[in-house]
């Protein structure tokens, strides 16, 4: 059977906003426009539904539970039962985009299941302490119950991975995590970034913050939550009074960050895309302290021609080039004030030499992460896997 003739189901974890994993989903939908879309819940606001391309979403009974719209993540213990309730038996090809639950849909031997894995379920595998803290479950007896549930989820998650025939990882470090968690190999296809649009974005913003002069500041764009480690950046700039940091983003840590910030750190909150792009394009460098699976923001900064100063772990090592011939940024070794401040001073000195990082190199490197590259690689992977799988089905019949 040709892949264009088979019935395709696309499955994602949940839909509540347009963010990183939703960009991948949008590209998969574009590649397979006739597929049926499934999700645990769908609460995407009307104004943000463009990426679904007017496709209806089939959800689970979790959608109808009390307070699900705002607090569906608190129903984590019920998600295994909810995702297994989806009836996908009539599909030949299942494409899941998963960072938590979606890959664990129920399948049978006559189906090919390909999972684009953003990460194994981090609550159960490597972010348990953060999950317990975020949901105020650190004290007994809540901690005991939560750990029992997360231990169950880890076992269930590993067993559910057996229903996936082919794994795609969004980065090499995630491929390693898949290998450790599930004992499976994964092919790396970097997620799509709208680098073409960013590279052609205008350099002048319609509005800029007071006293923002071209090139006289560093910048970061991030959700202001603890694991993003914007606190380290803020503290580092307290030791660099000659430099300025602009912080774009909102989140639960905003008040605490403002309370400790010095006068050379300015919080801009939410800004529109045009303003954000202009501010990033005109910054000395984009600073980034998070340890991400991939990390889209540093790629977007490079697409705008801006060098990146990043924590040298995780996806940053794959998205920022520190090559001797055409570097696009540099790394700091630790999420500490001294390490960040040292990297900024090193960068400032580097930019005064013939080895200065060039905007053209940043844009060229960012182009490798384009949405077009993603579509070509993902389509080729799926078509090749389907051809091999279909040959086996024919041979067995």
């Amino acid at each position: 059977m040709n892949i264009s003739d088979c019935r395709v189901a696309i499955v994602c974890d949940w839909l509540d906003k347009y963010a990183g994993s939703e960009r991948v989903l949008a590209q998969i939908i574009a590649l397979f426009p006739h597929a049926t879309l499934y999700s645990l819940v769908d609460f995407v606001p009307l104004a943000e539904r463009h990426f679904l391309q007017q496709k209806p979403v089939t959800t689970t009974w979790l959608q109808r539970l009390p307070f699900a719209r705002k607090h569906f993540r608190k129903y984590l213990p019920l998600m295994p039962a909810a995702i297994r309730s989806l009836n996908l038996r009539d599909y030949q090809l299942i494409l899941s985009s998963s960072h938590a639950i979606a890959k664990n849909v129920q399948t049978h031997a006559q189906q090919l299941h390909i999972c684009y894995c953003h990460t194994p379920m981090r609550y159960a595998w490597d972010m348990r302490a953060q999950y317990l803290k975020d949901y105020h479950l650190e004290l007994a007896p809540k901690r005991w119950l939560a750990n029992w549930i997360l231990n169950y989820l880890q076992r269930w998650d590993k067993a559910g991975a057996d229903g996936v025939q082919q794994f795609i990882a969004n980065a090499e470090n995630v491929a390693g995590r898949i290998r450790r968690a599930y004992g499976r190999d994964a092919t790396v296809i970097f997620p799509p970034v709208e680098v073409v649009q960013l590279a052609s974005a205008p350099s002048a913003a319609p509005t800029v913050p007071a006293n923002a002069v071209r090139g006289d500041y560093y910048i970061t764009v991030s959700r202001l939550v603890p694991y993003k480690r914007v606190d380290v950046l803020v503290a580092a700039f307290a030791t660099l009074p000659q430099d300025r940091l602009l912080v774009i983003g909102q989140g639960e840590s905003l008040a605490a960050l403002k309370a400790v910030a010095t006068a050379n750190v300015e919080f801009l909150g939410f800004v529109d895309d045009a303003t954000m792009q202009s501010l990033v394009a005109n910054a000395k460098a984009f600073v980034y302290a998070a340890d991400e699976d991939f990390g889209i923001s540093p790629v977007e900064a490079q697409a705008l021609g801006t060098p990146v100063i990043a924590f040298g772990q995780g996806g940053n090592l794959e998205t920022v080039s520190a090559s001797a011939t055409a570097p696009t940024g540099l790394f700091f070794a630790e999420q500490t004030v001294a390490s960040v401040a040292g990297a900024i001073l090193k960068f400032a000195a580097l930019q005064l030499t013939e080895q200065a990082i060039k905007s053209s190199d940043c844009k060229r490197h960012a182009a490798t992460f384009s949405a077009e590259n993603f579509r070509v690689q993902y389509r080729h992977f799926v078509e090749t896997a389907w051809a091999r799988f279909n040959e086996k089905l024919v041979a067995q019949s």
Side-chain angles (χ1 to χ4, degrees):
M1 181 188 297
N2 191 287
I3 194 170
S4 60
D5 299 323
C6 70
R7 295 194 65 194
V8 182
I10 300 173
V11 188
C12 64
D13 295 304
W14 49 72
L15 294 167
D16 66 325
K17 61 181 179 300
Y18 182 61
S21 63
E22 287 75 23
R23 299 180 190 214
V24 171
L25 180 64
Q27 298 299 326
I28 297 175
I29 292 172
L31 287 169
F32 298 92
H34 301 299
T36 307
L37 179 58
Y38 291 86
S39 176
L40 280 173
V41 297
D42 175 18
F43 296 119
V44 179
L46 185 62
E48 298 179 25
R49 299 187 70 83
H50 60 280
F51 72 97
L52 297 174
Q53 299 164 51
Q54 299 182 329
K55 184 173 286 295
V57 182
T58 301
T59 59
T60 70
W61 44 262
L62 207 65
Q63 176 95 10
R64 300 184 295 275
L65 293 184
F67 312 110
R69 177 174 292 275
K70 290 187 177 181
H71 301 292
F72 66 87
R73 289 177 178 82
K74 293 183 179 179
Y75 286 120
L76 179 64
L78 301 181
M79 289 183 182
I83 200 69
R84 302 286 281 187
S85 72
L86 292 175
N87 181 5
L88 306 180
R89 67 169 64 96
D90 293 332
Y91 296 94
Q92 288 90 30
L93 177 61
I94 298 172
L95 305 173
S96 61
S97 173
S98 178
H99 54 79
I101 299 288
K103 70 180 175 304
N104 296 65
V105 291
Q106 192 165 347
T107 60
H108 57 72
Q110 304 302 306
Q111 296 172 310
L112 172 62
H113 180 186
I114 299 173
C115 174
Y116 188 94
C117 187
H118 305 272
T119 180
M121 189 190 304
R122 301 200 75 169
Y123 319 110
W125 293 100
D126 60 353
M127 284 189 68
R128 182 173 299 200
Q130 188 67 49
Y131 176 79
L132 296 177
K133 180 180 179 181
D134 289 348
Y135 289 93
H136 310 292
L137 301 171
E138 296 173 288
L139 300 179
K142 289 182 179 180
R143 185 182 73 251
W144 301 335
L145 177 61
N147 275 316
W148 183 88
I149 291 172
L150 292 174
N151 287 336
Y152 162 75
L153 283 173
Q154 188 179 90
R155 294 191 299 271
W156 176 84
D157 189 48
K158 186 172 183 178
D162 292 339
V164 177
Q165 281 93 341
Q166 298 281 341
F167 272 104
I168 302 172
N170 68 350
E172 290 290 349
N173 68 307
V174 172
R177 198 176 299 145
I178 291 170
R179 194 174 301 113
R180 292 189 297 272
Y182 307 138
R184 302 284 298 279
D185 290 329
T187 298
V188 174
I189 299 178
F190 292 122
V193 183
E194 298 298 337
V195 295
V196 176
Q197 291 88 327
L198 290 170
S200 60
S203 60
T207 57
V208 296
N211 304 318
V213 179
R214 177 185 294 270
D216 77 337
Y217 58 89
Y218 295 85
I219 197 165
T220 191
V221 180
S222 174
R223 283 188 297 121
L224 303 183
V225 294
Y227 87 91
K228 294 288 190 178
R229 298 313 310 270
V230 178
D231 60 313
V232 176
L233 303 180
V234 170
F237 275 83
T239 71
L240 301 167
Q242 74 280 7
D243 293 310
R244 299 178 62 220
L245 174 66
L246 303 185
V247 180
I248 295 176
Q250 298 173 309
E252 64 190 64
S253 300
L254 177 59
L257 292 170
K258 282 186 173 181
V260 298
T262 46
N264 60 330
V265 178
E266 185 175 354
F267 295 89
L268 305 183
F270 170 82
V271 300
D272 61 71
D273 288 345
T275 301
M276 178 178 66
Q277 291 166 12
S278 180
L279 289 172
V280 173
N282 290 314
K284 290 182 179 179
F286 184 91
V287 288
Y288 198 68
D291 181 0
E292 293 280 21
D293 300 325
F294 175 75
I296 288 177
S297 294
V299 178
E300 292 177 333
Q302 291 168 84
L304 290 163
T306 301
V308 176
I309 303 171
F311 178 44
Q313 291 291 329
N316 297 334
L317 294 174
E318 299 176 59
T319 58
V320 181
S321 173
S323 72
T325 55
T328 64
L330 52 83
F331 301 111
F332 48 91
E334 300 175 330
Q335 292 168 310
T336 63
V337 170
S339 191
V340 173
I344 291 170
L345 293 173
K346 180 180 178 181
F347 171 82
L350 179 68
Q351 293 304 91
L352 298 175
T353 71
E354 293 182 355
Q355 287 75 44
I357 297 172
K358 301 178 179 62
S359 291
S360 57
D361 289 335
C362 293
K363 291 184 177 182
R364 189 178 303 110
H365 179 65
T368 62
F369 302 96
S370 70
E372 181 181 1
N373 281 354
F374 173 86
R375 289 193 298 270
V376 170
Q377 294 174 46
Y378 185 87
R379 179 85 189 192
H380 176 73
F381 183 94
V382 172
E383 288 181 342
T384 301
W386 172 255
R388 292 173 179 170
F389 182 76
N390 198 45
E391 285 177 4
K392 291 180 181 179
L393 289 182
V394 173
Q396 293 170 0
S397 61

